[in-house]
Amino acid sequence: MSRILTLQPLTAAAFARFGEVIEPAQARRTFPINAGTAQRFHDLARIDPGADGRVALGWVQAQPRALPFAVRLLERHPRGSQAFVPLGPARWIVVVADSPEAEPLAFLAERGQGVNYAPGVWHHPLIALDAPTDFLVIDREGPGDNCDEVMLAQVWTVAP
Amino acid sequence: MSRILTLQPLTAAAFARFGEVIEPAQARRTFPINAGTAQRFHDLARIDPGADGRVALGWVQAQPRALPFAVRLLERHPRGSQAFVPLGPARWIVVVADSPEAEPLAFLAERGQGVNYAPGVWHHPLIALDAPTDFLVIDREGPGDNCDEVMLAQVWTVAP
């Protein structure tokens, strides 16, 4: 039996226990730079590579997935945070859960919203929509295994 | 008297002594992820917040500047690296110099190319082109002054 996950808007409040929503509106400080020709939205996420890691920058080119989408697995990175920011205003889907046994939450990211998963947060791998989408990834490089993956006992379905 | 800077293509080789060009082609490792539905271009830049800093993530909304553009000042961040990646395939201009006394180099970034300035590299503040452009900024938060700015004795002009 497959259970249905209804997409909800990606808001900082709803996502707070999993990490941060990366978008200008979530800046802790905002100020003009470059003689007023630009505006900086500062310090949007807790980028955390752990005590023995360093921050690594990656680029992912993701093929779009179709809805309904079956959520069969989750992963987590216990040793560091992991942020994804689409390189443009693409829509994509963020699936997170408090544990592999809990009901996941499915968020629709829009308008270029990114997310930063806090260390250890269970999440589904990238789900691009609509078109091939490039993402910048800010995560961790360092010693030790940093990816746990689990197949779920229950398949969930993200509804269109 | 104003001297002319001719725009050159932003290549990893030409930019190497200032930092890294951030684009998929510069990945140290490339591999499929997410059951083959995405490709990861890994570890694109030496993100360095210094021994006493942490990596901070910012978002900048920059107004476009017109060419010819007068380069009157440079800045540097001695305590950490600073990366800029446009959130989309926008063109922009990267101006760097070996010192405030040296002739700057002016690069045209295209196709979504970003750059990471190594700690202490003299560079001009963001120069967007064509349209308002959003950038992701990956730099440093931490104790101590981390921005030196100098007015140049000689004005340089980036030619169209």
Side-chain angles (χ1 to χ4, degrees), chain A:
Chain A
M1 200 183 91
S2 173
R3 297 191 197 169
I4 301 299
L5 301 177
T6 302
L7 283 168
Q8 55 181 290
L10 179 60
T11 66
F15 193 74
R17 72 180 188 270
F18 305 106
E20 296 92 26
V21 176
I22 297 169
E23 59 183 348
Q26 307 310 327
R28 298 176 202 184
R29 285 193 293 138
T30 300
F31 46 92
I33 57 173
N34 302 358
T37 65
Q39 190 78 0
R40 176 162 180 154
F41 303 88
H42 186 58
D43 213 2
L44 297 173
R46 291 177 191 82
I47 303 298
D48 177 7
D52 59 353
R54 63 176 172 84
V55 172
L57 190 65
W59 188 303
V60 172
Q61 296 177 336
Q63 296 304 311
R65 314 302 294 269
L67 297 182
F69 181 86
V71 172
R72 300 174 186 281
L73 60 86
L74 294 173
E75 65 181 35
R76 67 174 175 182
H77 310 297
R79 296 176 185 269
S81 60
Q82 186 178 48
F84 292 94
V85 183
L87 293 168
R91 303 192 314 156
W92 60 295
I93 290 176
V94 175
V95 174
V96 288
D98 290 309
S99 76
E101 296 74 36
E103 178 172 339
L105 284 76
F107 296 98
L108 180 63
E110 297 184 283
R111 305 177 304 279
Q113 288 178 312
V115 300
N116 183 48
Y117 301 118
V121 163
W122 289 101
H123 61 279
H124 192 276
L126 266 184
I127 308 172
L129 287 176
D130 304 324
T133 306
D134 286 13
F135 292 82
L136 208 63
V137 188
I138 302 121
D139 58 4
R140 172 191 182 270
E141 184 66 38
D145 288 340
N146 191 27
C147 189
D148 301 329
E149 184 179 290
V150 294
M151 297 304 294
L152 302 183
Q154 163 75 56
V155 176
W156 301 86
T157 300
V158 180

Side-chain angles (χ1 to χ4, degrees), chain B residues 10-61:
Chain B
L10 179 60
T11 66
F15 193 74
R17 72 179 188 272
F18 306 106
E20 296 93 24
V21 176
I22 298 169
E23 60 182 347
Q26 307 310 327
R28 297 176 202 183
R29 286 193 293 138
T30 300
F31 46 93
I33 58 173
N34 304 358
T37 65
Q39 190 78 1
R40 176 162 179 154
F41 303 88
H42 186 58
D43 214 3
L44 297 172
R46 292 178 190 82
I47 304 297
D48 177 7
D52 58 353
R54 63 176 172 85
V55 172
L57 190 65
W59 190 302
V60 172
Q61 295 178 335

